[in-house]
Amino acid sequence: MGLDFSIIPDHLDVILLGCLWTIGITVAAAILSFFGGIIFAVMALYAPWFVRLPFRVVEWVFMGTPLLLQLFLIYFGLVQIGIDLPAFVAGVIGLGLHFAVYNSELIQTAILAVDKGQMEAARTVGLSRGQALRKVVIPQAVRAVIPPIGNNMIALLKDSALVSVIGVSELTLSAQRVIGSTYRPLEFYLLAAAFYYVINLCMEWVQRKIERHIALSR
Amino acid sequence: MDTDLMLKVYPFFLEAAWITILLSVLTAILGLTCGALGAASRLSRFVVLRFLGAAYVSVFRGTPALIQLFILYFGGPQIGIQLDAFEAGVIGLGINAGAYMTETIRGAIISIDKGQREAARTVGLSQWQTMYKVVLPQAARLMVRPLGVNLNMLVKATALVAAISVVELTYTAQRYIGSTYKPFEMFLMAGVLYMIIIFVVGRGVAWLDRRVQIT
Amino acid sequence: MTAKTDFVQIRHAQKSFGKLEVLKDISLTVERGQIVAIIGPSGSGKSTLLRAINDLDPLSGGEVWLDGVQVNKTLPHRQYEKHINEMRQQIGMVFQHFNLFPHMTALENVSMAPQMLKGLSDEAAAKLAEEQLDHVGMLEKVDAYPSQLSGGQKQRVAIARALAMSPKLMLFDEATSALDPELVDEVNAVMKKLAQEHMTMIIVTHEMDFAASVCDRVLFMDKGVVVEEGPPEVLFKNPTQQRTRDFLRKHLEGAK
């Protein structure tokens, strides 16, 4: 059968739309996973034991099971308890929660790494623990943690392809739709791969810019 | 929680767990092989090999593993590659894992102090002898834990083959969610088994790491 | 014309790192059995010169000759590898940071090269290693790993490792600079012993006293050139160059 890339232009619009969805889902989930990560980190370190312990269990489960399985739980699980969300929302929540847990690990380490003296200094000046955390410790921790979180965001982009399995019309599913009518899987999966690769490169470029900006503003 | 249902279906999950384990083992072997070749390629003195190695890592770490699987399984027949789903799963995930392992292995090798290489060359050892007798033994000790992390990711990545209908843990969970409408129970069954497998792998890696230390 | 006694010859050695010229047209000869010290401020190029002798840091220009054979010959890759490995078997090197192989015992560190390169059996190589370790006073530590040894002990094992190949020339790159003061003497003692056994040695060092007591010639280097050279009694007591005087004064002041 061989390769025939000439059919691509006819279907480019569907693919590009899928691309936009992928970017949108990635960005939404990334934002959720970033702030979720901070909240989870603070919970894991400072919440009372009856909140901390169950959370640790959830953390353990989310890091010990595949993302795809988690997506099934969230998508079908929400339906079971009566919340019928569109697939892409379930996808964003699933991706966001999954990476929020991984990010929280990184942020916990960063918070603990921020000089203990910082917390002491903030308290002696009269700030409460919550204020000290918010104004002094967390901002510094977040700065330190941007590079590894950037890597997680890029992993998130690649894992966004999994939401195609629960029916979200992002890049992967769009490619499959086109393949369904053209019977040319190799061309369109390669095209999809190329788009992912390019988006990936853009994200890496942005990450480098942010890192440089942080380094300079020290 | 519907424990009766769980008792009824757990044998299927156990069977599927074996498939997951088998997938993990085969993929790990292929991944380590690709990783070793990739690292050797990136460290070669020939520019072409170095470029190919870097390209391999960039492409396979820069695109989703799921797409790589689809390219191999669905796109392969177009250029004469006919694989069944299990084979495509092992080969696709193995090559993907190899890209990550290449960097792990290469990272360990280049972290060995330059002075070690100099001392070996100074006494008359060739580049190959230096690598074999001095650098690799030390690098091997350094790469056990990071490779363990790669292995952990690999076990979870085997779930992707559910998308090409290989009957492993995640596929089984999806199937029974579809027929029983009990996603939480099915997640629990598959999840516990995954966590057991990962726990065992983690222990194995920790044991190996302890065993290869010098003193 | 090459004199019969010119054992080590460096002809017009030149080395640049990009725009920075680290060695500027250095020529020197060392006779068999001579002990030469090279002193000078950091950045003078003395380590670079030493490391050029066994081509660890290849020169940008110039030649290095050992006993009538050019060390840094230009050859196609495979032949060059074979050639330089053979040459390096004849040159022993001791590093500032020892560079012992941490995954091998002291015995294995010393016996590995003779066993691999000279085709000795396990027993013969072990025996040879034991002799060399005894030579440097480390016999009771044959089965110790480097992490279990003090700095001075590590350096002595490193010397034994270099000697195990029966080299014609020994190079010392600031062998005691990384040692705590109490541990320096044991290493100096071994080096003195080698000197008495008429080993040809080139020593880069900061220790003027040691250089004076052991060496036949001292070279003072600064900014990539050999500023002055001569027997220790002359160079240390009556240097002819202002730069030499400045360096010695600064150095001896610090010591006092």
Side-chain angles (χ1 to χ4, degrees), chain B residues 44-115:
Chain B
S44 155
R45 61 185 176 89
F46 297 110
V47 178
V48 177
L49 280 180
R50 284 203 304 269
F51 175 75
L52 285 175
Y56 166 53
V57 171
S58 178
V59 168
F60 283 86
R61 290 198 320 176
T63 53
L66 189 65
I67 295 278
Q68 291 165 25
L69 267 182
F70 287 168
I71 289 177
L72 186 62
Y73 184 59
F74 295 117
Q78 264 179 266
I79 50 174
I81 300 176
Q82 298 270 15
L83 296 166
D84 72 40
F86 187 88
E87 291 166 351
V90 171
I91 295 176
L93 288 177
I95 296 178
N96 178 272
Y100 290 90
M101 292 185 179
T102 293
E103 289 303 282
T104 303
I105 294 174
R106 176 177 157 263
I109 289 178
I110 60 182
S111 76
I112 301 300
D113 186 40
K114 190 173 91 143

Side-chain angles (χ1 to χ4, degrees), chain B residues 5-214:
Chain B
L5 174 65
M6 283 164 69
L7 282 170
K8 254 182 36 197
V9 298
Y10 88 83
F12 299 109
F13 280 89
L14 281 180
E15 245 185 79
W18 284 116
I19 303 292
T20 290
I21 292 173
L22 186 60
L23 277 168
S24 303
V25 169
L26 293 173
T27 305
I29 294 174
L30 181 58
L32 282 167
T33 309
C34 290
L37 289 172
S41 184
R42 289 207 66 180
L43 294 168
S44 155
R45 61 185 176 89
F46 297 110
V47 178
V48 177
L49 280 180
R50 284 203 304 269
F51 175 75
L52 285 175
Y56 166 53
V57 171
S58 178
V59 168
F60 283 86
R61 290 198 320 176
T63 53
L66 189 65
I67 295 278
Q68 291 165 25
L69 267 182
F70 287 168
I71 289 177
L72 186 62
Y73 184 59
F74 295 117
Q78 264 179 266
I79 50 174
I81 300 176
Q82 298 270 15
L83 296 166
D84 72 40
F86 187 88
E87 291 166 351
V90 171
I91 295 176
L93 288 177
I95 296 178
N96 178 272
Y100 290 90
M101 292 185 179
T102 293
E103 289 303 282
T104 303
I105 294 174
R106 176 177 157 263
I109 289 178
I110 60 182
S111 76
I112 301 300
D113 186 40
K114 190 173 91 143
Q116 289 289 303
R117 261 176 273 252
E118 288 183 351
R121 295 308 308 277
T122 286
V123 122
L125 265 56
S126 73
Q127 279 182 347
W128 177 231
Q129 288 168 328
T130 301
M131 182 58 71
Y132 183 66
K133 275 279 181 177
V134 174
V135 178
L136 284 179
Q138 294 183 60
R141 286 172 174 93
L142 288 176
M143 52 172 101
V144 173
R145 279 207 176 272
L147 281 178
V149 171
N150 289 135
L151 223 53
N152 182 301
M153 283 170 45
L154 193 155
V155 172
K156 289 184 279 188
T158 61
L160 293 179
V161 303
I164 53 177
S165 305
V166 175
V167 185
E168 43 73 69
L169 274 173
T170 302
Y171 180 84
T172 306
Q174 183 187 24
R175 176 155 167 253
Y176 282 100
I177 291 176
S179 59
T180 67
Y181 297 99
K182 304 262 181 187
F184 183 70
E185 286 84 342
M186 298 305 118
F187 172 84
L188 201 61
M189 304 233 66
V192 166
L193 286 165
Y194 271 115
M195 286 170 67
I196 292 176
I197 296 175
I198 285 182
F199 179 77
V200 170
V201 168
R203 284 267 161 221
V205 169
W207 171 84
L208 186 63
D209 185 50
R210 270 196 312 272
R211 259 209 85 202
V212 298
Q213 291 313 314
I214 300 165

Side-chain angles (χ1 to χ4, degrees), chain C residues 137-154:
Chain C
M138 289 295 298
L139 187 59
E140 81 247 11
K141 296 278 187 185
V142 284
D143 290 322
Y145 282 94
S147 57
Q148 298 165 323
L149 301 174
S150 75
Q153 293 171 326
K154 281 196 270 232

Side-chain angles (χ1 to χ4, degrees), chain C residues 167-194:
Chain C
K168 297 178 181 173
L169 168 68
M170 284 286 281
L171 305 175
F172 291 84
D173 192 358
E174 304 208 29
T176 52
S177 297
L179 294 175
D180 292 335
E182 330 75 79
L183 302 173
V184 168
D185 288 335
E186 64 194 72
V187 174
N188 284 344
V190 171
M191 288 168 74
K192 263 209 177 99
K193 199 171 165 195
L194 287 177

